[in-house]
Amino acid sequence: MSSALLLSLDSLAAWRRALDRGIEQFGAMLNDNDLLDAQAQSLLARVRQQLASDRWVLAFVAEFSRGKSELINAMFFADTGRRLLPATPGRTTMCPVELAWDAQQTPSLALLPITSRASGQTLAELREQPALWVHMPLSLDDPEAMALTLQQVARAIHVTVDQARALGFWSDDQAEHNPPCDANGQVELPEWRHALINYPHPLLKRGLVVIDTPGLNAIGAEPELTLALLPSAHATVFLLAADTGVTRSDLSVWRDHLDGRVGERFVVLNKIDTLHDPLLDASQIEAQVAHQCTQVAQTLGLAPEQVFALSARQALTARILGNPASLTASRLPVLEQALLAQGLPQRGHAMGHSVENALLSLQQAALRRLSDRQRQTAEQLIELQALRGKSAARLKLMSARLDHEASDFERCAPRLSALRAVLMRQSQGLLDGLSSQRVRADLQRMQDHSDNSLFKLGAAKAFGAMGQQQQQRLRQAMIQLDEIEAMLQASLRSLNADFGFALRPGQRPVLDRYREELGLIENSYSRYVGLTQIWRLAQAGFMTRFSQILLSRLRVVFDAAAQDVEQWAKAVSTQIDDQLRERRRSLQQRREAHQRIRQAKDGLEHSIASLESQQAQQQALAQHLASEVDRLRLQAHASPAHASPAHDQASHRQWVPCSSTQPERDAA
């Protein structure tokens, strides 16, 4: 186990916890001062849930016999004193293996039978059905028994060709991709479709999720792995053999599943110990390793610093035996350092930007309510100060003005209700265009066009047409959003002028980034419907599974866009309600103050003193609000992978706080 990686994940987890506590206290402060509406409460809850459930996903990808399982053993299981995951020569990991820790579950191995592929359900759906999985407990105090249990991930079964075809492992049109038949005419398949290892490893407890993938044929045969698990990984480690470099099958894995992926990518040239030659000196062997790294980088189109030569077996042995010199010679610490120097900060920065944007939204909403209170208090104070030394006639004039303002207030209510109704109707029309049902219908048409084409040759065209439909859907939503915003600006301008409100449409949703996400999804998924994938498209049920997984990715984009629009519309509606409530409260306070002036000689001065106290409290609250947002933004903006008390203090000295009245909203 790498202590540096452990400390880095500790830092990330501690940063999330500290940020969550700060956000909780910030929310309590807003709530105590009546600055937290339902929309803000929902946003706070969502941000805290993201911080609590954040995970860092690290995927290991390679062809068979490249040493993935051995590298995972060296990085995560050396403290058990033995090799836990099967890592013998030849094909070991037969199914995708996911290592994580869920404190709500006991340490165990959960296995999904390969026959579940026949049901057509996605892995995400099957995760919610524990009865379909085979569960085996892990004996944490007995490494030998635990290793024996984990041997299950290497188990295989033998089925007929018809059964293999039904499960998607056999294609009559692309025989070169089919697994070999034995003497009995049967085909060897993985016994399990997916494995979940719930293990209380210190790194896994801190939010790390490790994915160990099988080789090329199994990767291609499981759409869930290539279309969902790998794209969701925040960092990917691609393993090659040092003695062979990039083979043809390695290049196929890279081009089909990793090239162009979002996220950090690390290429490992494993088994450098096999390059040892008694006829060569150390410098010559080192030159061979350096040459292999350069060749790999050129072949894969990467920078040389993204390629790491190491020996996973030597690293595992060194850690089990406690030999620091041998561990250094294995070069594994260099890879681990790169992971925590490049992979973890990126994850922390992404979460920090999300939190920072949420804080700015909360600040804007709170400042709108607070500034309206300040304006109302200032107006009342000016009125009462003007009454000092004035006659009863002036008091009567004030009473008449209050009655007039109350009448205006009652007249504006129907206009505000009508505006709310129009806003809700137009925003609902926009949301209907972003609904998951529309996306599902588009995907069904894509699947129908593909199925009806000869040999599935129309799959790529149907996919392209579907992608254009999604882009057009977002473009139409942006046009509708422009129309709604123009309507709001005109209506709010009129209301502000007629009745003295301070209504603003607020920061409109930015949908351009969702168009970019659609482009990334289309670029990533188009590789699975090209002419080179005809054999896979022809497999029974592949297009259905492809559509299901693609739907889950598109739903995330459209649901997020719809959520932004819905929150914006609700924020405007809430702002209207807030200002109505504030205006009603202000009128009531002014009536009460006016009544006190009539009832007591010192009522005027008492009311003025009370308002001056309120004004000072509101100014202090505005300053405190800006200070808290700046502090939390600094905390969210700091790199958690390198956080330390000294670093935090130094960063705080360099921080330039934003304006408390016009905060800039960073890009998501």
Side-chain angles (χ1 to χ4, degrees):
M1 176 179 62
S2 168
S3 59
L5 191 57
L6 183 62
L7 290 174
S8 190
L9 279 173
D10 265 339
S11 176
L12 185 64
W15 169 78
R16 289 199 306 262
R17 289 194 298 270
L19 193 55
D20 179 66
R21 287 195 298 269
I23 292 174
E24 181 183 23
Q25 294 168 0
F26 181 65
M29 184 265 288
L30 293 178
N31 188 58
D32 291 343
N33 290 279
D34 195 23
L35 295 175
L36 193 65
D37 57 25
Q39 289 298 113
Q41 287 179 338
S42 175
L43 180 57
L44 270 174
R46 188 166 65 254
V47 170
R48 295 191 64 196
Q49 176 62 28
Q50 288 177 348
L51 287 170
S53 61
D54 184 51
R55 298 290 183 267
W56 188 52
V57 181
L58 177 62
F60 291 79
V61 182
E63 251 291 27
F64 297 121
S65 301
R66 299 297 188 264
K68 296 186 307 299
S69 299
E70 189 77 331
L71 181 58
I72 294 175
N73 282 324
M75 293 180 67
F76 305 109
F77 296 121
D79 55 348
T80 64
R82 62 152 295 140
R83 178 182 289 117
L84 280 187
L85 290 180
T88 55
R91 182 173 176 176
T92 52
T93 304
M94 295 288 290
C95 66
V97 179
E98 195 171 333
L99 295 92
W101 172 244
D102 182 356
Q104 304 300 319
Q105 305 291 332
T106 59
S108 62
L109 170 66
L111 300 160
L112 181 64
I114 193 67
T115 52
S116 65
R117 288 169 58 92
S119 68
Q121 292 180 288
T122 65
L123 183 60
E125 295 170 331
L126 293 168
R127 284 176 185 268
E128 305 300 323
Q129 305 176 55
L132 300 180
W133 297 65
V134 176
H135 298 270
M136 299 181 177
L138 294 179
S139 303
L140 300 181
D141 55 350
D142 189 349
E144 295 291 336
M146 187 160 53
L148 185 62
T149 301
L150 295 180
Q151 288 284 342
Q152 285 286 336
V153 302
R155 289 180 61 89
I157 58 175
H158 290 81
V159 300
T160 65
V161 171
D162 288 339
Q163 290 173 315
R165 184 184 296 110
L167 293 175
F169 287 93
W170 189 273
S171 172
D172 295 325
D173 298 326
Q174 298 289 330
E176 66 273 15
H177 295 284
N178 293 333
C181 294
D182 60 17
N184 298 320
Q186 291 191 318
V187 177
E188 183 185 66
L189 299 182
E191 183 171 357
W192 312 109
R193 180 180 178 183
H194 199 80
L196 301 174
I197 299 177
N198 193 49
Y199 181 72
H201 186 280
L203 291 175
L204 304 181
K205 283 184 175 181
R206 288 159 173 80
L208 177 67
V209 176
V210 177
I211 298 175
D212 183 15
T213 65
L216 173 63
N217 291 336
I219 291 179
E222 181 51 71
E224 190 84 8
L225 177 62
T226 58
L227 302 178
L229 291 180
L230 291 184
S232 68
H234 303 117
T236 304
V237 177
F238 181 53
L239 278 79
L240 305 167
D243 55 346
T244 60
V246 184
T247 67
R248 181 177 180 180
S249 59
D250 291 325
L251 194 58
S252 295
V253 173
W254 177 263
R255 289 175 174 172
D256 292 345
H257 307 296
L258 297 179
D259 192 18
R261 292 289 190 196
V262 178
E264 296 296 324
R265 294 172 298 169
F266 304 85
V267 175
V268 169
L269 206 58
N270 192 22
K271 305 182 182 180
I272 58 173
D273 50 302
T274 62
L275 298 180
H276 176 72
D277 188 339
L279 301 180
L280 300 177
D281 59 29
S283 62
Q284 290 173 314
I285 295 175
E286 179 62 29
Q288 286 186 349
V289 173
H291 177 72
Q292 280 286 66
C293 290
T294 301
Q295 289 294 107
V296 166
Q298 291 176 350
T299 302
L300 300 182
L302 297 174
E305 55 268 22
Q306 290 180 266
V307 180
F308 302 84
L310 55 85
S311 171
R313 177 174 297 177
Q314 183 179 356
L316 176 61
T317 304
R319 280 182 167 157
I320 290 177
L321 299 180
N323 189 335
S326 181
L327 177 62
T328 301
S330 74
R331 309 190 191 189
L332 176 59
V334 179
L335 171 65
E336 293 176 332
Q337 180 62 35
L339 286 171
L340 65 90
Q342 301 175 36
L344 278 177
Q346 291 298 324
R347 184 58 190 157
H349 295 335
M351 178 58 67
H353 282 306
S354 177
V355 171
E356 192 176 3
N357 290 333
L359 288 170
L360 290 173
S361 296
L362 291 170
Q363 182 187 28
Q364 288 177 341
L367 284 176
R368 280 196 299 267
R369 303 183 72 175
L370 186 57
S371 62
D372 189 62
R373 290 184 194 175
Q374 290 176 305
R375 183 176 58 82
Q376 297 288 343
T377 301
E379 289 179 356
Q380 293 180 50
L381 190 57
I382 291 173
E383 288 179 351
L384 293 183
Q385 288 173 339
L387 289 176
R388 281 173 168 159
K390 300 298 180 179
S391 63
R394 186 61 182 265
L395 194 61
K396 183 177 180 180
L397 183 63
M398 178 183 174
S399 179
R401 181 179 175 185
L402 280 174
D403 293 339
H404 178 71
E405 289 186 4
S407 176
D408 282 348
F409 177 76
E410 295 301 327
R411 284 193 303 108
C412 77
R415 288 179 58 180
L416 289 173
S417 298
L419 176 60
R420 258 201 317 266
V422 172
L423 173 62
M424 290 297 102
R425 183 173 65 253
Q426 292 187 357
S427 60
Q428 186 58 51
L430 194 159
L431 292 173
D432 289 342
L434 298 175
S435 67
S436 299
Q437 289 77 8
R438 298 285 185 90
V439 179
R440 188 187 301 274
D442 291 342
L443 285 174
Q444 185 59 52
R445 283 192 294 271
M446 178 197 73
Q447 185 175 346
D448 293 341
H449 291 160
S450 174
D451 292 341
N452 293 332
S453 63
L454 183 63
F455 302 121
K456 304 295 179 67
L457 293 175
K461 183 178 180 181
F463 179 84
M466 185 277 302
Q468 292 178 359
Q469 289 174 336
Q470 307 317 306
Q471 290 285 359
Q472 177 58 32
R473 199 177 300 287
L474 273 182
R475 283 194 294 269
Q476 182 61 34
M478 294 171 68
I479 293 173
Q480 292 177 273
L481 198 57
D482 290 338
E483 295 173 350
I484 295 175
E485 187 179 34
M487 180 273 296
L488 277 175
Q489 288 177 342
S491 300
L492 295 182
R493 191 181 304 114
S494 175
L495 285 167
N496 292 340
D498 293 345
F499 302 104
F501 285 109
L503 297 166
R504 293 187 295 271
Q507 183 69 36
R508 60 169 286 174
V510 180
L511 301 186
D512 285 331
R513 63 191 181 101
Y514 296 113
R515 293 184 61 188
E516 294 175 1
E517 290 184 27
L518 286 180
L520 291 174
I521 292 175
E522 184 175 1
N523 179 63
S524 178
Y525 283 53
S526 61
R527 69 185 71 190
Y528 301 105
V529 293
L531 292 176
T532 59
Q533 303 294 321
I534 294 299
W535 66 274
R536 186 175 293 154
L537 292 168
Q539 294 177 357
F542 177 84
M543 200 62 190
T544 299
R545 290 192 294 272
F546 175 85
S547 299
Q548 290 173 339
I549 297 171
L550 182 57
L551 174 62
S552 66
R553 293 294 305 278
L554 291 175
R555 284 182 60 183
V556 171
V557 175
F558 280 96
D559 286 351
Q563 187 177 53
D564 286 354
V565 172
E566 186 175 14
Q567 288 179 350
W568 174 68
K570 287 183 177 179
V572 176
S573 179
T574 301
Q575 182 188 167
I576 293 173
D577 293 337
D578 288 344
Q579 294 212 17
L580 274 173
R581 185 175 67 253
E582 291 293 335
R583 182 66 60 85
R584 183 178 291 107
R585 185 175 68 174
S586 173
L587 286 171
Q588 181 62 29
Q589 288 178 344
R590 292 166 68 181
R591 284 197 178 100
E592 292 173 354
H594 186 69
Q595 186 64 27
R596 286 195 299 270
I597 293 172
R598 289 180 175 276
Q599 292 176 349
K601 293 180 180 180
D602 62 342
L604 177 62
E605 293 302 323
H606 176 80
S607 298
I608 290 176
S610 177
L611 286 173
E612 288 175 339
S613 175
Q614 290 182 31
Q615 194 173 53
Q617 291 174 1
Q618 290 165 352
Q619 290 174 349
L621 180 57
Q623 294 173 355
H624 183 57
L625 175 63
S627 174
E628 285 298 293
V629 170
D630 284 340
R631 181 182 65 82
L632 289 172
R633 286 185 66 196
L634 169 64
Q635 194 172 356
H637 192 266
S639 175
H642 302 91
S644 66
H647 175 80
D648 289 344
Q649 292 171 7
S651 300
H652 188 61
R653 287 193 295 270
Q654 299 170 2
W655 176 253
V656 179
C658 67
S659 167
S660 62
T661 56
Q662 293 181 339
E664 295 179 358
R665 184 180 180 88
D666 293 342

